[in-house]
Amino acid sequence: MQGLSYPLPDGSTLTLKLDYKVIFIQFQMERNGVPLPGTMAHPLDKLKSAYILIYIIGGTDFLLGLLAVLLHSKMLRGFGFSWFSMIVGAVFLELGLLTQRRSKAALIIAVILYAIDAWLSLMALEMIGGYASSSLLVHTLFIIPMILGIGAINKLKK
């Protein structure tokens, strides 16, 4: 997409454009064709979004699992949190660290594990007659930036 281009005093060109992705629109700012740091078009920012989400997933699972075990919380256990959640959380925290260090394999494993988690959550909700739409929405909103992070790692390694 073309966008709008503005010449800058130093002779470079600032380009502003909207990039239409499959399910969202991304605003891009480029200077001489290179995405500006701090914009979601920049690979470092895409990677940062991916590993932060992995840390959020891991930290949430670990902490809620820990609380369920220490407090013997029936409510948290009812939501599926237990010592197993602590293990899954620790795995995601490690995958987040490796992704932050630009490991494409770790990010792909995180995406696969999170997709499996989405599928299992949907199956569990279906079995109890719950509404799967909110779970599906959250998983989708988390998995898209993780997938975009894979492409960002590829660009950063060039």
Side-chain angles (χ1 to χ4, degrees):
M1 170 162 274
Q2 285 275 333
L4 302 172
S5 295
Y6 299 98
L8 297 176
D10 65 356
S12 61
T13 303
L14 177 68
T15 305
L16 309 171
K17 58 185 174 179
L18 293 177
D19 187 17
Y20 295 93
K21 301 291 183 188
V22 177
I23 62 170
F24 63 94
I25 300 171
Q26 184 178 52
F27 178 70
Q28 294 185 358
M29 293 178 63
E30 298 175 348
R31 184 175 180 189
N32 291 335
V34 177
L36 293 174
T39 63
M40 279 309 296
H42 196 277
L44 282 174
D45 293 302
K46 287 182 182 181
L47 177 61
K48 184 177 181 181
S49 293
Y51 69 72
I52 285 175
L53 287 171
I54 296 169
Y55 283 142
I56 289 170
I57 294 164
T60 302
D61 276 356
F62 186 85
L63 289 175
L64 291 175
L66 181 64
L67 286 173
V69 170
L70 292 178
L71 301 177
H72 303 288
S73 171
K74 289 182 182 180
M75 183 184 77
L76 288 174
R77 288 182 185 266
F79 285 116
F81 294 104
S82 65
W83 60 268
F84 184 72
S85 303
M86 293 170 54
I87 294 170
V88 170
V91 168
F92 270 98
L93 290 170
E94 180 64 25
L95 290 171
L97 179 64
L98 294 172
T99 299
Q100 188 173 1
R101 294 179 181 169
R102 300 184 186 180
S103 169
K104 186 164 74 169
L107 183 50
I108 290 170
I109 290 168
V111 168
I112 291 169
L113 289 176
Y114 200 63
I116 291 169
D117 179 68
W119 181 75
L120 291 173
S121 295
L122 291 174
M123 294 300 105
L125 285 169
E126 184 70 28
M127 287 174 52
I128 63 171
Y131 296 102
S133 57
S134 60
S135 175
L136 185 59
L137 176 65
V138 169
H139 279 86
T140 302
L141 290 175
F142 274 45
I143 210 163
I144 289 171
M146 291 165 59
I147 291 170
L148 293 174
I150 296 169
I153 290 174
N154 290 336
K155 285 183 181 178
L156 290 168
K157 288 192 174 182
K158 286 183 182 180

